[in-house]
Amino acid sequence: MTDQEMSEQRATQQKMIDPFGRSVDYLRVSVTDRCDFRCAYCMSEDMTFLPKSEVLSLEELERLCRTFIKLGVRKLRLTGGEPLVRRNVMWLFQELGRHLDSGALDELTVTTNGSQLSRHAADLYACGVRRINVSLDTLNRDKFLAITRWGKFDRVMAGIDAALDAGLAVKINAVAMRDFNEDELDRMIAWCGERGMDMTLIEAMPMGDIGQNRADQHLSLREVRQNLEQSWTLQPSDHQTGGPANYVTVAETGQRVGFITPLSHNFCESCNRVRLTCTGTLFMCLGQDDAADLRAPLRASADDDLLAQAIHAAIARKPKGHDFIIDRDADNPAVARHMSVTGG
Ligand code: SAM
Ligand code: SF4
């Protein structure tokens, strides 16, 4: 075996450790950039999506995920766009679920807007999914329509019920927005508490042009937390999900509330994740533009050595952190791509 061949073979056996010593064991995969909603903070109403020819097949996505698992990924989250609108996506869940059975993977999960959950919840459970995130920013039907533009409130509610009935733990993700849902968060915490669901509050991040100034909607979670403390007893919790949220337990409901604060608190020190798009582009940081193309090495060779080398080369470029700012005078978003490209 030549030196070159030996180093290629080693690439598939090495775990992913970045230059700052952080071990990468969490992969988020955006399986489609398409969506059946047009949430105002996420997309513009007239979004153009990728031509289908640019999108990797489900088989290619499966091979990419399998390679990442070999390189040390223990947690996989499928997201989008709306992952559950991709045709045949349950095949991918099934294939990835096998790695749960073998013990190579600890967790397979999904972030969804809930619109397709009624028909998929039981199958997700059968594939080994145990926890899901459902994005829901309001319990008010009119506001729901205003923020999602195309969403169907009753369908999402039925989807959440179906998920709970199927035995899935549901966590509600809500983007906190000034003058939109800030007066509703108490009610949402109570509603989640009644249904045994945790909740995560997210600060809107400056990603992609959405046709309006984001500074108008920005609401600091520090302020939100202070307001919540007027109504609820928030006890510090050391709960960790492998994600960036800081959790508290709401004493009155027994459920957790997480705060994801990319703007007011830098959560990069413990970053263990990378993000793959449906075109095979790997983003090493949500808040930076640097990316690595994995489609070329994926297609160049039927075995995984070349791909593993490209992944290691990308991890070696993982930056220390992001530098999001929301600046009222800045016209441009901090990163040009929309959240639907990398899936959050
Ligand atoms: N369609 C699925 C959903 O909505 O759950 C998955 C993809 S969506 C891009 C993932 C998460 O990103 C959602 O919880 C959504 O609220 C959040 N998100 C989208 N754009 C965002 C932004 N600019 N800032 C903060 N969160 C955002
Ligand atoms: Fe679609 Fe999710 Fe973006 Fe809303 S947040 S437009 S549901 S991808």
Side-chain angles (χ1 to χ4, degrees):
M1 198 184 276
T2 64
D3 285 354
Q4 166 82 10
E5 281 168 343
M6 270 167 54
S7 92
E8 283 177 8
Q9 206 175 55
R10 276 200 301 273
T12 55
Q13 287 157 7
Q14 283 162 18
K15 300 297 175 209
M16 296 175 288
I17 312 274
D18 81 0
F20 305 95
R22 295 170 299 190
S23 153
V24 176
D25 57 11
Y26 182 7
L27 176 68
R28 294 188 176 211
V29 185
S30 174
V31 299
T32 175
D33 64 328
R34 287 166 196 255
C35 187
D36 50 348
F37 292 7
R38 291 289 181 281
C39 301
Y41 49 78
C42 179
M43 296 187 179
S44 64
E45 191 153 15
D46 58 349
M47 282 288 281
T48 29
F49 294 109
L50 291 163
K52 292 220 166 93
S53 57
E54 296 231 349
V55 176
L56 297 184
S57 68
L58 290 175
E59 288 77 7
E60 287 176 316
L61 284 172
E62 187 277 328
R63 192 178 142 208
L64 274 169
C65 292
R66 191 164 14 102
T67 306
F68 271 98
I69 292 169
K70 263 195 238 164
L71 301 185
V73 159
R74 309 277 323 165
K75 176 170 171 176
L76 252 175
R77 177 178 296 279
L78 302 193
T79 172
E82 174 46 41
L84 299 183
V85 299
R86 175 134 189 199
R87 189 187 304 224
N88 262 336
V89 74
M90 292 316 295
W91 174 84
L92 184 59
F93 278 99
Q94 248 166 32
E95 291 302 309
L96 297 175
R98 295 180 201 280
H99 301 282
L100 295 167
D101 299 336
S102 77
L105 197 61
D106 293 330
E107 186 168 43
L108 174 61
T109 180
V110 61
T111 301
T112 172
N113 64 23
S115 68
Q116 313 296 317
L117 270 177
S118 292
R119 63 188 176 110
H120 286 316
D123 290 341
L124 286 171
Y125 192 91
C127 294
V129 175
R130 292 294 176 266
R131 295 193 303 146
I132 64 171
N133 288 357
V134 180
S135 303
L136 179 71
D137 304 315
T138 173
L139 290 170
N140 176 305
R141 194 180 291 272
D142 296 332
K143 284 189 185 176
F144 179 86
L145 187 59
I147 199 77
T148 63
R149 295 194 183 106
W150 296 6
K152 303 264 185 303
F153 183 75
D154 292 336
R155 250 172 96 166
V156 171
M157 289 296 138
I160 293 171
D161 287 343
L164 292 170
D165 287 348
L168 295 166
V170 176
K171 181 158 70 73
I172 298 294
N173 277 356
V175 177
M177 283 165 281
R178 189 174 294 290
D179 298 332
F180 176 73
N181 57 5
E182 58 181 316
D183 59 347
E184 237 198 296
L185 298 176
D186 281 327
R187 182 171 166 226
M188 290 185 77
I189 287 179
W191 180 76
C192 287
E194 284 156 20
R195 314 180 118 236
M197 304 187 296
D198 289 342
M199 181 176 172
T200 299
L201 292 165
I202 310 172
E203 277 177 0
M205 295 175 229
M207 298 187 66
D209 183 9
I210 50 163
Q212 69 186 82
N213 188 333
R214 289 182 186 271
D216 294 340
Q217 50 175 201
H218 180 63
L219 175 60
S220 151
L221 289 188
R222 193 171 309 182
E223 191 181 326
V224 168
R225 192 169 166 159
Q226 278 164 2
N227 288 340
L228 293 178
E229 276 166 351
Q230 308 298 313
S231 327
W232 306 98
T233 316
L234 305 184
Q235 299 165 332
S237 155
D238 53 10
H239 179 67
Q240 285 293 333
T241 58
N246 274 319
Y247 284 92
V248 295
T249 302
V250 182
E252 290 81 356
T253 67
Q255 293 304 130
R256 281 183 287 255
V257 175
F259 297 87
I260 300 189
T261 55
L263 301 169
S264 46
H265 170 74
N266 205 306
F267 53 52
C268 305
E269 314 85 57
S270 57
C271 181
N272 59 344
R273 58 206 155 265
V274 288
R275 295 172 164 84
L276 183 67
T277 73
C278 60
T279 58
T281 304
L282 187 72
F283 284 92
M284 287 72 82
C285 172
L286 180 64
Q288 303 276 0
D289 284 325
D290 187 29
D293 171 43
L294 300 182
R295 181 167 58 181
L298 174 81
R299 291 185 175 168
S301 149
D303 69 43
D304 297 333
D305 294 336
L306 211 58
L307 184 56
Q309 283 180 61
I311 294 172
H312 282 303
I315 299 298
R317 301 208 308 266
K318 186 167 160 61
K320 193 164 180 197
H322 66 68
D323 30 46
F324 282 137
I325 45 164
I326 290 212
D327 180 351
R328 199 163 269 282
D329 300 324
D331 284 339
N332 297 322
V335 286
R337 63 181 188 279
H338 289 87
M339 187 72 101
S340 50
V341 173
T342 45

